[in-house]
Amino acid sequence: MPYETTHRFKITENDGISDQGECMLLKLVNDVSSIQATLQSNHTLRHMYVFMNDICDPDDEAFDANNKFQRHIDKATALNWLHKSTDAVGRAKVIETQLNSCVRAVLAELQGADHSVYSTIDPLHLPEVLSLIYRKHWRREFHLAISSSIMALLSTVNVKVCIQQERAHHEAKIAEHAAIIAELDTKLAAINSSDQKVNQDTGTEIQKSKRHRVG
């Protein structure tokens, strides 16, 4: 029996809900398939309850599965409650779940995300991400992140070298073209000077001719 408002979503007496159904509800508030997916998760629901039927045995596997999903749903909606803006919530979810290897491993298993989070990050942004991990999760997570993203980091270095080489190539071309422009300017200046001298000489000859006729 579903009950929902802008900030609250509740399903009660639904012991028949499948793991897939609960997984979809978890992904609604925190999808860890990629950082972009996490940022686009719902950041406004403050309560989401998926209650089993009261007669459900706490020792039943279904109860354990429900409790497992509910625990992570609660953590995601708690972040929704804690932060004022959706941007702040999205950032907090990325830091607390995507960039924490232990939490991310659990959520990835629940949601069937079988790839590393670092494979979804642009290599050019990795240094900033690693710096954030060090500030928020300290050395252990930082070292794990380094080992998980080393190939991408090497790729970043290669990209950086390529960019530097291409920039140097264009700078050399600019210098070469500037030298050509300077040489052309010198030739134009010489031509202009010659034209000016010719015009002056022509003007002098015309003046002499006029005086000769008058005399």
Side-chain angles (χ1 to χ4, degrees):
M1 180 181 299
Y3 167 77
E4 58 182 301
T5 67
T6 305
H7 299 296
R8 184 185 297 268
F9 184 88
K10 183 185 294 186
I11 299 178
T12 59
E13 300 180 3
N14 194 358
D15 53 321
I17 190 169
S18 65
D19 284 358
Q20 183 179 4
E22 292 199 76
C23 178
M24 291 176 65
L25 292 174
L26 173 57
K27 292 179 73 172
L28 174 65
V29 289
N30 191 13
D31 186 344
V32 299
S33 60
S34 70
I35 286 182
Q36 187 63 30
T38 301
L39 293 173
Q40 292 177 344
S41 299
N42 179 282
H43 301 322
T44 57
L45 280 171
R46 297 179 178 178
H47 301 282
M48 180 184 285
Y49 300 111
V50 186
F51 288 124
M52 304 293 284
N53 195 307
D54 290 340
I55 64 173
C56 183
D57 185 353
D59 294 328
D60 193 296
E61 289 184 5
F63 182 87
D64 289 340
N66 172 268
N67 194 41
K68 176 172 57 180
F69 281 102
Q70 184 65 58
R71 184 165 60 250
H72 292 289
I73 289 172
D74 289 345
K75 289 179 180 179
T77 53
L79 289 174
N80 289 355
W81 176 277
L82 182 62
H83 298 276
K84 294 181 179 179
S85 71
T86 55
D87 287 345
V89 177
R91 179 180 172 85
K93 287 179 181 178
V94 169
I95 292 172
E96 297 298 327
T97 61
Q98 289 279 30
L99 303 184
N100 184 312
S101 61
C102 294
V103 176
R104 208 266 176 183
V106 173
L107 288 171
E109 182 179 2
L110 287 175
Q111 299 183 19
D114 57 359
H115 55 273
S116 168
V117 65
Y118 299 103
S119 66
T120 69
I121 300 175
D122 186 330
L124 293 176
H125 296 157
L126 269 177
E128 181 182 353
V129 172
L130 291 172
S131 174
L132 182 61
I133 291 172
Y134 186 81
R135 294 199 308 272
K136 297 296 183 179
H137 299 304
W138 297 99
R139 292 183 180 179
R140 179 181 179 278
E141 284 298 327
F142 179 72
H143 292 157
L144 288 172
I146 287 287
S147 63
S148 299
S149 60
I150 187 65
M151 295 308 297
L153 282 173
L154 291 176
S155 173
T156 302
V157 172
N158 291 337
V159 170
K160 183 177 179 180
V161 170
C162 288
I163 292 173
Q164 290 173 336
Q165 289 175 343
E166 184 176 358
R167 186 177 186 277
H169 168 74
H170 289 296
E171 281 185 337
K173 285 291 185 182
I174 290 172
E176 180 183 346
H177 291 158
I180 293 173
I181 291 172
E183 183 180 351
L184 293 174
D185 285 343
T186 301
K187 290 180 179 179
L188 280 174
I191 292 172
N192 290 335
S193 178
S194 177
D195 288 345
Q196 185 177 7
K197 186 175 185 305
V198 169
N199 290 336
Q200 289 176 346
D201 291 344
T202 302
T204 301
E205 289 298 326
I206 292 173
Q207 291 296 329
K208 287 181 179 180
S209 178
K210 286 181 178 179
R211 285 198 299 269
H212 180 70
R213 286 198 300 271
V214 171

